[in-house]
Amino acid sequence: MRMAHEKVPKAKSFLVTMLLVLVFMAHKGSSFGVNWGTMATHQLPPEKVVQMLEDNGFTKLKLFEADQKILEALTGTKIEVMLAIPNFMLQEMSIDPVAAFSWVDANVTSYCYDGGVNIKYVAVGNEPFLKAYNGTYLKTTLPALKNIQEALNRAGLGSQVKATVPFNADIYFSPDSDPVPSTGDFRPELKDNVIEIVQYLYTNEAPFTVNIYPFLSLYGNAYFPFEFAFFDGTSKPIGDGDLLYTNVFDANFDTLVWSLTKAGFPEMKIIVGEVGWPTDGVVNANITNAKRFNQGMLKHALSGNGTPARKGMIDVYLFSLIDENAKSIAPGCFERHWGLFEFDGKPKYELDLSGSGQNKGLVAVEGVDYMPKRWCVLNPDAKDLYGLPSSINYACSLSDCTALGYGSSCNNLSLEGNASYAFNMYYQVNDQKIWTCDFSGLAMETDKDPSVGGCQFPVMIAYAPSLLQNRGILHMVMKIIGGCMLYWILL
């Protein structure tokens, strides 16, 4: 009889333990998301991408606009969504509460119903205080934020949908004389503006959102310790009082923590809106490094260990979901290669989204339609190659040749190979139209795949080039102005 009584508390203890484990696992699964950008000449059908998100277990999604087709595809799913208002709309939203209310009504209220879209945040702008913008959005960001949040409140959604502002990490710094997190603070010329926004966010129980890119620390500094960019690195730790830092992400994150603490907001909730690693375009942007970083990031974020200055799980959105071949490459040729998935929805590498570090494959987008297996290459019978350099430059200025850059996947092609790659990219972007594979007789069509080793000559997906139809002129200008110089492909 005594033995029977002893079994009861043990069973209860086991059940309680298992319940806690399940709750913890469920919490872990909800603490990361992914960014879905749409700066591509040809886009996969949103419904197929959303199905892929569900198949892979993504539970959070951050968008850079409010695309009706994407929102319709998300209807009925449980995926938590952060919509966005682009920077070019900040001026209007800052001065016109009616415009803000109309935007909220069309893009939030219309989808917030039982069985609708699970909208959690509205991102007001994207990195509006970036140094490169030279203060363009300094006076419009806070008024726009207020008008959007007040529009959400008027719609009765203020308690469930919060407006936030995704900032770049360049809004805070540590002095060169003592570059540790505890000396961190907001940049003097921005401090008052940032603190005003922080105060408003805090009052509305909204998070502070920041984009952190360890890759850019490595890219922008030839002397940056390579291993310090990763979570399993072996570089010498950096001491900050009693705290030790073994990776630049934690150091950057805690610099923000200290900046907020000095501003009077030590407990401010922080979301990492963008963090990731590109796979092509420049040195160190490759699949090996991207897998190493992103797997380490997920493991670190989901572990619950937090950073030296702030314990607990880290709320992160990986950047990004799919490669975007029409992004501006002014920051660098890597900008079009941040995706976990290729342009056609194929995963680039294995990634365990549970954070446990297992070699689990990601699920690809299913049922993708492609154009015919045809390529455009340099005509081997072409005799007069005088116009070849200008033809290559023309093709690359109107397509994507970033894989030809130094240290990239197609860097080792010959001059003839460079020409074929450039011609094919132009040909594919233009839907394989026969007249786009001529170049004054220098090019020809072929049904033989010219891919060489790790350098892939893609065949475009067979979906309408909606970006070119709707926003083509703007983005083509951006591509040309922001393009990398292509002289190196002729060497």
Side-chain angles (χ1 to χ4, degrees):
M1 194 67 163
R2 181 182 177 186
M3 291 177 64
H5 282 299
E6 287 179 347
K7 289 181 181 180
V8 174
K10 287 182 180 180
K12 287 183 177 179
S13 176
F14 175 76
L15 289 173
V16 170
T17 300
M18 288 303 297
L19 180 61
L20 290 173
V21 168
L22 290 172
V23 169
F24 177 67
M25 288 176 66
H27 184 44
K28 283 179 69 175
S30 64
S31 62
F32 78 92
V34 66
N35 287 267
W36 179 4
T38 57
M39 296 289 288
T41 57
H42 295 66
Q43 296 178 28
L44 291 163
E47 61 274 13
K48 290 183 180 292
V49 178
V50 170
Q51 184 61 56
M52 177 266 283
L53 290 169
E54 293 188 304
D55 290 343
N56 282 291
F58 287 104
T59 57
K60 295 184 179 182
L61 178 66
K62 181 169 169 283
L63 302 172
F64 291 91
E65 54 193 346
D67 185 292
Q68 182 179 355
K69 291 183 179 179
I70 292 177
L71 289 173
E72 288 173 355
L74 287 164
T75 300
T77 72
K78 296 181 179 180
I79 297 172
E80 182 184 292
V81 179
M82 181 187 295
L83 298 180
I85 296 173
N87 288 339
F88 72 85
M89 295 180 66
L90 292 180
Q91 174 68 23
E92 180 184 13
M93 296 298 160
S94 70
I95 63 175
D96 190 351
V98 175
F101 185 82
S102 296
W103 188 93
V104 167
D105 184 60
N107 299 297
V108 183
T109 309
S110 296
Y111 295 95
C112 283
Y113 56 87
D114 288 342
V117 182
N118 182 19
I119 300 172
K120 183 69 176 291
Y121 299 109
V122 174
V124 181
N126 184 45
E127 301 183 339
F129 291 179
L130 191 70
K131 285 182 181 179
Y133 293 150
N134 296 316
T136 301
Y137 307 107
L138 203 57
K139 295 181 180 180
T140 56
T141 301
L142 179 57
L145 174 68
K146 288 181 176 180
N147 283 340
I148 290 297
Q149 185 62 61
E150 288 168 15
L152 291 167
N153 295 344
R154 284 180 57 196
L157 299 171
S159 61
Q160 68 186 78
V161 183
K162 301 294 182 180
T164 183
V165 179
F167 286 106
N168 187 279
D170 73 351
I171 66 167
Y172 52 87
F173 76 111
S174 292
D176 292 338
S177 59
D178 192 13
V180 293
S182 63
T183 63
D185 205 346
F186 295 113
R187 282 169 30 213
E189 69 272 24
L190 298 177
K191 190 170 183 177
D192 291 344
N193 299 87
V194 173
I195 291 177
E196 276 191 284
I197 290 175
V198 172
Q199 175 67 62
Y200 187 79
L201 293 173
Y202 188 82
T203 300
N204 284 280
E205 299 181 341
F208 187 98
T209 305
V210 63
N211 301 337
I212 299 176
Y213 282 104
F215 170 79
L216 296 182
S217 298
L218 183 64
Y219 174 72
N221 183 355
Y223 300 100
F224 187 87
F226 180 80
E227 292 296 322
F228 199 59
F230 300 92
F231 298 93
D232 57 351
T234 56
S235 61
K236 183 179 179 180
I238 294 176
D240 184 8
D242 295 332
L243 304 179
L244 288 178
Y245 289 88
T246 60
N247 65 82
V248 69
F249 175 88
D250 283 356
N252 191 309
F253 188 96
D254 282 356
T255 302
L256 172 59
V257 171
W258 278 103
S259 301
L260 289 168
T261 299
K262 291 172 184 177
F265 302 92
E267 303 300 323
M268 185 83 185
K269 180 182 177 180
I270 298 173
I271 289 177
V272 179
E274 297 177 24
V275 62
W277 200 282
T279 56
D280 211 344
V282 294
V283 174
N284 293 321
N286 55 58
I287 287 176
T288 299
N289 289 343
K291 178 180 179 180
R292 181 185 179 190
F293 178 83
N294 284 327
Q295 192 64 78
M297 181 74 255
L298 286 174
K299 182 178 180 181
H300 184 52
L302 298 173
S303 69
N305 294 328
T307 65
R310 180 175 285 194
K311 301 305 178 184
M313 279 185 281
I314 307 169
D315 201 352
V316 302
Y317 289 80
L318 293 179
F319 189 86
S320 64
L321 185 63
I322 300 171
D323 278 352
E324 300 171 79
N325 69 344
K327 283 192 72 178
S328 168
I329 48 178
C333 291
F334 52 83
E335 278 295 331
R336 296 173 179 172
H337 304 280
W338 290 99
L340 300 175
F341 296 80
E342 301 281 3
F343 71 97
D344 58 356
K346 291 179 181 176
K348 296 180 181 179
Y349 48 87
E350 293 182 330
L351 190 68
D352 177 17
L353 299 180
S354 72
S356 60
Q358 302 177 39
N359 280 327
K360 291 185 176 181
L362 294 170
V363 179
V365 174
E366 295 184 354
V368 176
D369 294 328
Y370 294 86
M371 293 181 187
K373 288 188 176 182
R374 288 199 304 265
W375 296 263
C376 180
V377 297
L378 179 67
N379 187 341
D381 296 327
K383 303 300 182 183
D384 184 5
L385 302 181
Y386 176 79
L388 186 59
S390 59
S391 293
I392 293 174
N393 278 325
Y394 176 80
C396 288
S397 71
L398 296 173
S399 62
D400 177 24
C401 295
T402 52
L404 294 175
Y406 176 71
S408 302
S409 60
C410 297
N411 179 220
N412 295 320
L413 295 179
S414 63
L415 173 59
E416 292 78 10
N418 285 330
S420 291
Y421 188 90
F423 292 165
N424 185 63
M425 294 306 288
Y426 180 79
Y427 175 70
Q428 300 296 340
V429 163
N430 287 284
D431 300 329
Q432 297 185 356
K433 293 182 175 65
I434 189 170
W435 57 85
T436 64
C437 185
D438 181 67
F439 293 95
S440 301
L442 292 172
M444 59 171 281
E445 291 181 307
T446 180
D447 58 4
K448 183 179 179 181
D449 188 350
S451 300
V452 180
C455 177
Q456 298 299 308
F457 283 57
V459 169
M460 185 51 69
I461 53 178
Y463 298 102
S466 57
L467 183 146
L468 291 180
Q469 291 173 353
N470 299 330
R471 295 175 290 175
I473 295 176
L474 171 63
H475 293 311
M476 281 302 175
V477 170
M478 289 176 62
K479 286 165 66 179
I480 295 171
I481 293 175
C484 293
M485 295 300 293
L486 294 172
Y487 67 90
W488 29 258
I489 70 173
L490 303 176
L491 299 180

